[in-house]
């Protein structure tokens, strides 16, 4: 029997003074990476705030594993557009944050956090304060903190937006490695078409504000993805197609 | 070290000029003693000064510690309850404009010459900068961080413990630094109202006896005491919020 999607969003709407999100429907299958691209200010971050439960939708339904969820705080690993690491906590303690909020036992939490740092090559930075890390490092730590929240659905809001091209490309591979090892379902937003194609199984294209799904493109590149894919004819073709949609 | 050399040199020059002017113009000792006479007087009356130093330090410390506890309590109260904030905050701002020192005679009237009125004065003087800084610290927490905790499903208690409190510590210590200097000032002035021991009373007695060199010596000790108390706060701050200081270093 085929399993239903991990996350279903149906006819989601939200307005402040004006309509920001209008009847967005999308879904994410288990183990899938889905990206959302759209013009700046169209409502991507707002959409994530609604999905994560920080904002309440005016209308629409959100289902996780087929069940409607009204109280969604704590159900997703949500990484904000800014890294938002706590400057008063060392890297290790920043990563333990999610566990701590869930009220897990401190020693066990530490073991898990250290394990995560080891697994994803940040162990030697455990005792650094965030202010002593480079931008790319901060982003890695923020990513691990999101993962340490132990949710198998991640919402990543422009996770690599503020980074230079080289760091960004290394972090793409980093994310793919994490995704594969931990079998996660991921939705992320980006302005970068190439990033969207390189990482995702499907790309949702949003319209200008009020945000609405303009199109959804399936990316038929084989996995595991490699840097060389970026220049393959298939990739370029998809890039052209998405360009025309924006 | 290099940036300290000029002020030190300048200070030395001032002392030297002072020393020579006093002997050159034959200024009477009871008007302006020379630096050497002041140091000499300090050495002569060192046990007397020490005798009076102890209660001043004691009063200042108790008053300051009391102020810290009250401030933390009030700031948290205002942070937790909007109603409390609306009631207390205006008074806090108005109270800033009252120099609490002027209440000293009144408190002496009510509580006599003992320890209590002095500690109350000191606590009143120190209370404001700590409370207001701490509360502003609570209010100034990055709203995105609060949203992040909200998305994780954190409760109010966790938000306070994990974010609001640590994020406000730098502001708390800025308030404490000011309060520490005020505590010495408060102790000295409250002793003027009446006491049998304390640097404030030694200062008054020395003035009345025209022992100007000792007046200067006591003023010097009070100044040093203020500086030391601020330094102690600074050291505690550096130990307890190292992350705040290494941020400053990276920036500059
Ligand atoms: N709390 C709010 N009240 C009113 N309007 C808001 C609020 N939050 C966001 N908006 C508006 O909603 C719109 C969408 O903002 P949002 O941050 O979601 O866009 P975005 O797609 O994430 O932009 P970017 O790509 O620049 O990150 C903007 O026009 C913004 O002004
Ligand atoms: Mg955004």
């Amino acid at each position: 029997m085929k399993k239903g999607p991990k996350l279903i969003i149906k006819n989601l709407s939200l307005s402040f003074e004006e309509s920001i999100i209008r009847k967005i429907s999308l879904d994410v299958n288990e183990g899938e990476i889905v990206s959302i691209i759209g013009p700046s200010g169209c409502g991507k971050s707002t959409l994530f705030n609604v999905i994560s439960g920080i904002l309440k939708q005016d209308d629409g339904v959100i289902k996780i594993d087929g069940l409607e969820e009204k109280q969604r705080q704590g159900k997703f690993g949500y990484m904000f557009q800014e890294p938002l690491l706590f400057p008063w906590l060392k890297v290790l303690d920043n990563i333990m944050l999610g566990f701590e909020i869930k009220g897990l036992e401190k020693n066990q939490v530490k073991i898990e956090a250290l394990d995560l740092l080891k697994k994803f090559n940040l162990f030697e930075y455990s005792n650094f304060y965030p202010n002593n890390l480079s931008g790319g490092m901060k982003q890695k730590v923020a990513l691990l903190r999101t993962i340490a929240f132990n949710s198998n659905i991640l919402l990543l809001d422009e996770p690599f937006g503020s980074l230079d091209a080289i760091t960004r490309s290394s972090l793409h591979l980093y994310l793919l490695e994490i995704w594969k090892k931990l079998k996660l379902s991921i939705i992320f937003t980006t302005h970068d078409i190439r990033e969207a194609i390189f990482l995702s199984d499907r790309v949702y294209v949003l319209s200008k504000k009020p945000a609405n799904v303009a199109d959804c493109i399936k990316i038929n590149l084989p996995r595991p993805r490699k840097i060389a894919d970026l220049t393959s004819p298939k990739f370029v073709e998809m890039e052209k197609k998405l360009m025309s949609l924006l | 070290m290099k940036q300290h050399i000029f002020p030190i040199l300048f200070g030395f020059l001032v002392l030297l000029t002072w020393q020579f002017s006093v002997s050159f113009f034959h200024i009477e000792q009871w008007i302006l003693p020379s630096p050497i006479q002041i140091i000499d007087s300090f050495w002569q009356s060192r046990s007397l000064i020490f005798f009076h130093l102890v209660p001043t330090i004691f009063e200042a410390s108790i008053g300051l510690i009391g102020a810290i506890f009250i401030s933390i309590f009030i700031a948290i109260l205002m942070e937790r309850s909007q109603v409390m904030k609306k009631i207390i905050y205006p008074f806090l701002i108005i109270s800033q404009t009252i120099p609490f020192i002027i209440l000293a005679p009144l408190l002496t009237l009510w509580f006599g010459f003992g320890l209590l009125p002095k500690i109350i004065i000191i606590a009143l003087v120190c209370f404001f900068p700590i409370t207001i800084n701490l509360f502003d610290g609570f209010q100034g927490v990055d709203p995105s961080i609060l949203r992040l905790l909200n998305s994780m499903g954190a409760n109010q208690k966790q938000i306070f413990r994990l974010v609001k409190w640590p994020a406000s510590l730098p502001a708390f210590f800025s308030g404490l630094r000011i309060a520490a200097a005020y505590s010495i000032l408060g102790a000295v002035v409250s002793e003027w109202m009446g006491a049998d021991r304390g640097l404030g009373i030694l200062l008054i007695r020395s003035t009345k006896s025209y022992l100007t060199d000792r007046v200067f010596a006591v003023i010097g000790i009070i100044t040093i005491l203020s500086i030391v108390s601020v330094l102690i706060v600074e050291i505690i701050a550096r130990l307890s919020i190292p992350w705040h200081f290494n941020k400053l270093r990276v920036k500059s």
Side-chain angles (χ1 to χ4, degrees), chain B residues 20-40:
Chain B
F20 282 108
S21 310
V22 166
S23 50
F24 187 79
F25 296 110
H26 302 290
I27 300 176
E28 302 241 29
Q29 193 182 333
W30 64 271
I31 295 185
L32 184 66
S34 74
I36 288 177
Q37 281 163 343
I38 293 169
I39 291 166
D40 186 49

Side-chain angles (χ1 to χ4, degrees), chain A:
Chain A
M1 194 182 83
K2 192 179 173 295
K3 266 211 247 166
K6 185 83 188 157
L7 175 72
I8 302 176
I9 293 166
K10 233 187 195 138
N11 289 327
L12 202 68
S13 298
L14 178 84
S15 1
F16 294 119
E17 294 87 49
E18 48 177 343
S19 176
I20 308 279
I21 297 173
R22 203 169 60 198
K23 286 193 181 293
I24 286 191
S25 297
L26 54 85
D27 51 72
V28 183
N29 294 315
E30 181 142 24
E32 199 180 24
I33 302 183
V34 165
S35 57
I36 295 177
I37 57 176
S40 190
C42 75
K44 300 181 294 294
S45 299
T46 309
L47 175 65
F48 274 11
N49 285 342
V50 175
I51 297 176
S52 68
I54 303 175
L55 291 174
K56 226 172 157 35
Q57 71 266 36
D58 299 334
D59 210 1
V61 179
I62 295 176
K63 288 182 181 174
I64 303 173
D65 293 321
L67 297 173
E68 178 171 2
E69 294 283 354
K70 292 203 161 129
Q71 288 295 321
R72 294 181 297 275
Q73 282 104 323
K75 300 259 171 3
F76 300 91
Y78 182 6
M79 179 171 157
F80 283 58
Q81 210 164 332
E82 320 94 86
L84 295 182
L85 297 175
F86 296 0
W88 50 87
L89 295 181
K90 292 178 177 170
V91 166
L92 176 64
D93 298 300
N94 260 292
I95 287 180
M96 282 160 57
L97 185 72
F99 296 125
E100 243 192 288
I101 287 173
K102 286 192 167 167
L104 300 180
E105 200 257 322
K106 191 117 189 172
N107 281 326
Q108 188 55 37
V109 167
K110 198 162 178 176
I111 292 168
E112 292 203 28
L114 282 171
D115 196 46
L116 208 57
L117 283 169
K118 264 184 217 144
K119 215 189 260 166
F120 298 109
N121 313 321
L122 280 176
F123 184 65
E124 68 231 72
Y125 296 97
S126 309
N127 282 320
F128 277 51
Y129 282 106
N131 286 314
N132 298 338
L133 298 176
S134 66
M137 264 322 168
K138 275 186 198 160
Q139 217 69 14
K140 275 190 180 178
V141 175
L143 196 56
L144 282 198
R145 180 176 68 182
T146 311
I147 286 152
F149 197 52
N150 264 349
S151 159
N152 42 25
I153 316 175
L154 302 188
L155 307 172
L156 311 177
D157 195 1
E158 291 188 38
F160 315 115
S162 56
L163 302 173
D164 62 275
I166 295 169
T167 315
R168 187 188 271 234
S169 147
S170 85
L171 273 165
H172 288 159
L173 298 174
Y174 192 72
L175 178 68
L176 288 176
E177 186 193 331
I178 291 173
W179 166 74
K180 207 173 133 197
K181 275 194 190 157
L182 303 179
K183 301 184 172 58
L184 303 164
S185 312
I186 299 178
I187 321 181
F188 73 99
T189 67
T190 178
H191 289 291
D192 183 347
I193 293 177
R194 295 169 62 79
E195 178 173 283
I197 300 171
F198 182 67
L199 294 175
S200 339
D201 298 299
R202 283 182 300 136
V203 181
Y204 281 94
V205 182
L206 295 190
S207 64
K208 282 207 301 268
K209 191 170 64 172
N212 184 261
V213 177
D215 213 329
C216 176
I217 308 289
K218 202 160 169 54
I219 307 295
N220 286 315
L221 295 171
R223 290 198 189 264
R225 307 255 166 100
K226 296 173 292 296
I227 296 288
D229 293 337
L230 286 165
T231 45
S232 71
K234 222 171 171 181
F235 193 100
V236 176
E237 185 193 318
M238 259 180 275
E239 196 179 343
K240 275 187 193 147
K241 191 168 166 191
L242 275 168
M243 282 280 230
S244 68
L245 286 171
L246 273 173

